[in-house]
């Protein structure tokens, strides 16, 4: 009887030890599986992080390439805008030089006043050139990661200066630029948006009838937290069947070689990335209105690096 009890006791002990060994083996296997899965997840996360970095770099390159393409499209007009003031700068300086040589310090008050006026005109022309070059520098700024308070009125005026030659022969520009709060964004990227919208408005109007058409540019506070910019034209308008597609990449109604179809898509991407909205209303034959809603800059909101506004 005692022997049977002992045998049963050993059997129970052996069974417990076997269960414990099996449990330890199972736990070790589970820990190894978790370790492997964790390592795989870390590697996958590293690959995803690198892919995201490459995607962001590619997107920044695309935005910058579109901006430079826009500048290239405007190159002839910009050359004209710069050459005009340069011509009268040089002309006035030549005149002053000749007069100084002729009078040799014996100029009359009238001649002295003429020299002062010629120098003032030359300085005005130089200032025009400086502003154009500054606006081009802002537009070609390659760093698309900086974000901070942007003076939207100054940015709009900078875009107008760059687009002036494109607009002049097509429509009268009517500006209503109310004082508004700074927006949270990036000066060069916002200038790119407004420049694209102004050029699109100009291209919707046939050249040679500037007195019969107008492009309206306005900015105002939409509410306490948003600013709205509107670019309206009296051009050809957008067919209803195209309205749902105009922000799609590569969609364009322009002839081959005139547009890539990226402009409005890039604008939409920039605005939405900044927390804003880009919308359009259009009536075929009567014109279009593009609206850009942007968030007001809040001093305590996080950002990578603050950017002082550098537009005009």
């Amino acid at each position: 009887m005692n022997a049977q009890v002992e045998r049963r006791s050993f059997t129970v002990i052996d069974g417990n030890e076997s269960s414990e060994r099996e449990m330890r083996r199972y736990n070790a296997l589970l820990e190894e599986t978790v370790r492997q899965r964790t390592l795989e997840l870390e590697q996958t996360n590293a690959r995803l992080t690198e892919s995201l970095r490459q995607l962001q770099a590619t997107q920044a390159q695309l935005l910058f390439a579109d901006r430079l393409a826009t500048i290239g499209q405007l190159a002839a007009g910009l050359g004209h805008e710069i050459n005009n003031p340069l011509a009268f700068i040089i002309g006035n300086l030549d005149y002053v030089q000749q007069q100084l040589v002729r009078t040799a310090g014996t100029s009359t008050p009238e001649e002295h006043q003429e020299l002062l006026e010629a120098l003032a005109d030359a300085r005005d022309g130089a200032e025009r050139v400086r502003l154009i070059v500054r606006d081009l520098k802002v537009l070609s700024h390659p760093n698309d990661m900086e974000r901070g308070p942007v003076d939207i009125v100054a940015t709009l005026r900078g875009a107008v200066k760059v687009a002036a030659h494109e607009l002049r022969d097509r429509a009268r520009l009517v500006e209503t630029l109310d004082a508004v709060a700074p927006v949270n964004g990036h000066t060069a990227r916002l200038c790119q948006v407004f420049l694209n919208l102004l050029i699109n408005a100009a291209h919707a109007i046939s050249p040679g009838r500037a007195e019969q058409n107008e492009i309206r540019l306005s900015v105002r506070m939409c509410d306490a937290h948003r600013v709205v910019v509107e670019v309206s034209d009296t051009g050809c308008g957008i067919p209803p069947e195209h309205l749902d597609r105009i922000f799609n990449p590569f969609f364009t109604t322009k002839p081959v070689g005139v547009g890539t179809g990226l402009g409005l898509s890039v604008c939409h991407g920039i605005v939405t990335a900044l927390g804003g909205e880009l919308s359009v209303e259009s009536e075929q034959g009567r014109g279009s209105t593009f609206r850009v809603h942007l968030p007001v800059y809040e001093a305590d909101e996080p950002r990578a690096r603050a950017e002082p506004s550098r537009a005009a």
Side-chain angles (χ1 to χ4, degrees):
M1 181 67 176
N2 290 335
Q4 289 178 351
V5 171
E6 289 177 0
R7 281 197 298 271
R8 281 197 290 269
S9 297
F10 283 128
T11 300
V12 171
I13 292 172
D14 288 345
N16 288 339
E17 290 179 350
S18 176
S19 297
E20 289 176 2
R21 285 196 299 271
E22 184 66 23
M23 182 64 69
R24 285 196 296 271
R25 188 183 71 83
Y26 178 78
N27 286 341
L29 179 62
L30 183 60
E31 289 174 359
E32 177 62 20
T33 301
V34 170
R35 190 188 66 80
Q36 291 179 354
R37 293 292 184 271
T38 301
L39 180 61
E40 290 173 1
L41 286 173
E42 289 174 349
Q43 292 172 343
T44 301
N45 186 57
R47 288 194 296 268
L48 287 173
T49 300
E50 177 61 19
S51 297
L52 177 61
R53 187 193 66 78
Q54 293 177 358
L55 182 62
Q56 289 173 335
T58 301
Q59 182 187 39
Q61 291 171 359
L62 176 63
L63 295 175
F64 189 48
D66 179 77
R67 199 182 307 154
L68 293 182
T70 302
I71 295 175
Q73 181 182 353
L74 297 173
L78 289 171
H80 183 76
E81 290 295 305
I82 292 174
N83 279 333
N84 273 349
L86 279 178
F88 70 75
I89 289 171
I90 294 170
N92 283 334
L93 292 177
D94 286 344
Y95 168 75
V96 170
Q97 183 182 37
Q98 292 166 7
Q99 288 297 101
L100 288 174
V101 170
R102 184 181 67 81
T103 59
T106 60
S107 61
T108 64
E110 291 78 11
E111 289 173 333
H112 181 72
Q113 184 61 33
E114 287 180 3
L115 293 178
L116 290 178
E117 290 174 359
L119 287 174
D121 287 344
R123 192 193 182 288
D124 288 344
E127 180 66 9
R128 281 178 56 187
V129 173
R130 186 187 71 82
L131 292 176
I132 292 171
V133 172
R134 184 196 60 186
D135 294 330
L136 285 175
K137 184 179 179 181
V138 168
L139 191 59
S140 61
H141 190 270
N143 191 344
D144 284 305
M145 298 304 293
E146 296 179 355
R147 194 179 292 189
V150 176
D151 183 340
I152 202 70
V153 173
T155 304
L156 287 169
R157 286 176 176 154
V160 167
K161 288 191 189 79
V162 177
H165 187 74
E166 199 75 16
L167 306 178
R168 189 173 297 127
D169 192 41
R170 298 172 184 264
R172 293 174 289 106
L173 180 64
V174 180
E175 299 178 61
T176 307
L177 305 180
D178 297 342
V180 295
V183 301
N184 185 41
H186 182 276
T187 303
R189 293 177 71 175
L190 286 174
C191 188
Q192 179 178 1
V193 169
F194 302 134
L195 183 58
N196 266 314
L197 294 180
L198 286 168
I199 292 172
N200 277 353
H203 288 178
I205 301 169
S206 300
R209 296 185 301 165
E211 69 285 350
Q212 301 174 28
N213 290 284
E214 68 178 30
I215 293 173
R216 287 188 169 270
L217 178 64
S218 67
V219 60
R220 66 180 189 279
M221 295 297 299
C222 178
D223 53 45
H225 303 288
R226 292 189 304 166
V227 169
V228 60
V229 177
E230 293 186 356
V231 181
S232 302
D233 64 74
T234 55
C236 60
I238 303 169
E241 64 271 19
H242 292 164
L243 277 175
D244 291 336
R245 303 172 59 197
I246 60 170
F247 296 128
N248 293 348
F250 303 109
F251 176 77
T252 180
T253 58
K254 296 177 181 178
V256 175
V258 175
T260 63
L262 280 174
L264 287 176
S265 173
V266 166
C267 289
H268 188 268
I270 291 173
V271 173
T272 54
L274 294 174
E277 298 175 5
L278 174 59
S279 60
V280 60
E281 290 181 4
S282 185
E283 184 177 348
Q284 196 166 7
R286 296 181 64 87
S288 305
T289 297
F290 285 84
R291 291 186 181 88
V292 181
H293 288 85
L294 294 166
V296 168
Y297 174 76
E298 302 289 345
D300 58 347
E301 62 184 303
R303 65 186 189 279
R305 291 184 295 278
E307 176 206 20
S309 179
R310 291 185 294 271

